[in-house]
Amino acid sequence: EVQLVESGGGLVQAGGSLRLSCAASGFTFDDYVIGWFRQAPGKEREGVSCFNIREQGTYYTDSVKGRFTISSDNAKNTVYLQMNSLKPEDTAVYYCATVDCAPGSPYAIRVLGGYWGQGTQVTVSS
């Protein structure tokens, strides 16, 4: 059974840091790429970041470039999103999902396979 479990969200002051984790089971990173999305109240879901291992390409949405870093530990089948210099506008529910990650393409990141984590709340206070 494919499963994605996120952790690491919480409440932090502006300028602070959090590290989100997405532990995958039931498949390996040879089968799927894991990416991060977020959805703030009243806003559309937004693709935040992904890393295409085969093509060595990384995508970040413009608003997080220079502040967020995606990484993975293949031995643990876990993907991380290190979030630094957090801003109130980063407040959202963050989800990991299996994706098609093509940083050089018009879509850059899109859902593939239909597997999602349960989401983890990130709240940044001003």
Side-chain angles (χ1 to χ4, degrees):
E1 179 187 5
V2 174
Q3 197 171 19
L4 300 174
V5 179
E6 296 123 342
S7 60
L11 172 64
V12 65
Q13 287 189 331
S17 298
L18 286 172
R19 188 177 79 157
L20 306 183
S21 300
C22 175
S25 59
F27 68 96
T28 69
F29 295 155
D30 287 336
D31 301 315
Y32 287 109
V33 173
I34 302 297
W36 290 95
F37 294 83
R38 66 185 180 185
Q39 188 162 23
K43 294 188 177 181
E44 292 187 356
R45 185 181 66 199
E46 174 186 30
V48 176
S49 180
C50 62
F51 174 56
N52 188 313
I53 295 174
R54 292 187 183 89
E55 298 182 10
Q56 296 292 301
T58 305
Y59 167 77
Y60 296 101
T61 192
D62 286 345
S63 61
V64 309
K65 285 180 180 176
R67 300 187 298 120
F68 290 12
T69 303
I70 190 170
S71 63
S72 66
D73 184 333
N74 288 3
K76 296 182 178 180
N77 230 29
T78 299
V79 174
Y80 303 98
L81 187 67
Q82 178 67 44
M83 306 186 296
N84 298 329
S85 302
L86 283 162
K87 304 176 180 180
E89 51 263 44
D90 295 317
T91 295
V93 179
Y94 284 71
Y95 301 89
C96 60
T98 50
V99 301
D100 178 13
C101 182
S105 75
Y107 62 83
I109 177 173
R110 60 185 178 185
V111 178
L112 180 70
Y115 300 111
W116 290 86
Q118 80 284 4
T120 185
Q121 176 71 47
V122 171
T123 304
V124 184
S125 63
S126 57

